[in-house]
Amino acid sequence: MTATTTVRTGPAVLAPVAAFAALTIAYVATNARTPHPDASGPDVLAYTTSHVGLINAGAVLIVLSAAPLAIAAGLMQRILRGPSITTIGAALAAGGLTFSGLFAWAGARLTDSAGPVLARTLADLGYLSGGPAYAAGFGLLVVGIVMSALPERNLPEWLIWCGVALAAVAALSTLALVVSGLGYLLPVVRFGGLLWLIGVAVVLSRR
């Protein structure tokens, strides 16, 4: 029963992971010049009012990326027969991405007459949703996959321990909410986690 399910479901997991990867890369490329979290309100307002098209495109991309992430997590949980924490984490991470896109879209609607404080606030909400909130959810997703793989060793050992390290970094990166110096860990979770998820999908697709 288990072998049959794995063979039928395994290859399908690559499609949503590939879609998530492509949308994530496209989003990052579109938003490469977005002001950093420590940028001033006037700088943020100046950028948003002059790059409406880019911001709207990025908002669409990041919102769209939430769905394949949730689908991929559901398929991985089914293949590994893991705990529900996998899909709970995916739902939280997908929610973070969605809210990040919505806040970005709202920020792009500001005009020159809007206050810089409002522009900075919307940018902060977008950063917190797509940064620490996403990292917290993604960390739970990774924990769920690792918990499934450890007893059965149905993932390569190096991939399992990379997942353990990634989950630890994800947990630590959420402290960027209170310690701004830890913000550099958020890209590690975003891109390191993406690579790790691709690795897991490739392994599972061959079973």
Side-chain angles (χ1 to χ4, degrees):
M1 180 75 70
T2 301
T4 302
T5 302
T6 301
V7 170
R8 183 172 61 251
T9 310
V13 75
L14 275 177
V17 171
F20 176 64
L23 289 167
T24 298
I25 292 171
Y27 165 76
V28 171
T30 302
N31 289 264
R33 297 174 60 189
T34 300
H36 290 189
D38 57 355
S40 67
D43 287 342
V44 174
L45 182 59
Y47 178 84
T48 55
T49 54
S50 59
H51 296 83
V52 175
L54 280 178
I55 295 173
N56 284 335
V60 170
L61 290 168
I62 196 171
V63 169
L64 288 177
S65 71
L69 175 62
I71 293 171
L75 291 174
M76 289 177 180
Q77 182 187 16
R78 178 182 175 185
I79 296 170
L80 296 171
R81 298 184 178 276
S84 58
I85 191 175
T86 305
T87 49
I88 292 174
L92 292 174
L97 295 176
T98 300
F99 279 109
S100 181
L102 294 179
F103 285 128
W105 180 85
R109 292 174 62 83
L110 298 178
T111 62
D112 291 328
S113 61
V117 174
L118 178 58
R120 180 67 269 175
T121 299
L122 288 173
D124 285 341
L125 290 172
Y127 165 74
L128 294 175
S129 300
Y134 170 80
F138 192 84
L140 290 177
L141 184 162
V142 174
V143 168
I145 294 175
V146 168
M147 287 174 61
S148 309
L150 269 174
E152 303 294 332
R153 289 295 193 273
N154 44 19
L155 289 176
E157 190 167 345
W158 66 269
L159 199 56
I160 293 175
W161 290 112
C162 281
V164 171
L166 183 60
V169 172
L172 188 60
S173 70
T174 60
L175 295 178
L177 287 168
V178 292
V179 183
S180 59
L182 293 176
Y184 74 94
L185 294 176
L186 294 172
V188 176
V189 178
R190 176 64 65 89
F191 300 111
L194 178 60
L195 292 174
W196 184 81
L197 206 62
I198 292 172
V200 172
V202 169
V203 172
L204 294 180
S205 70
R206 294 177 176 176
R207 293 181 179 276

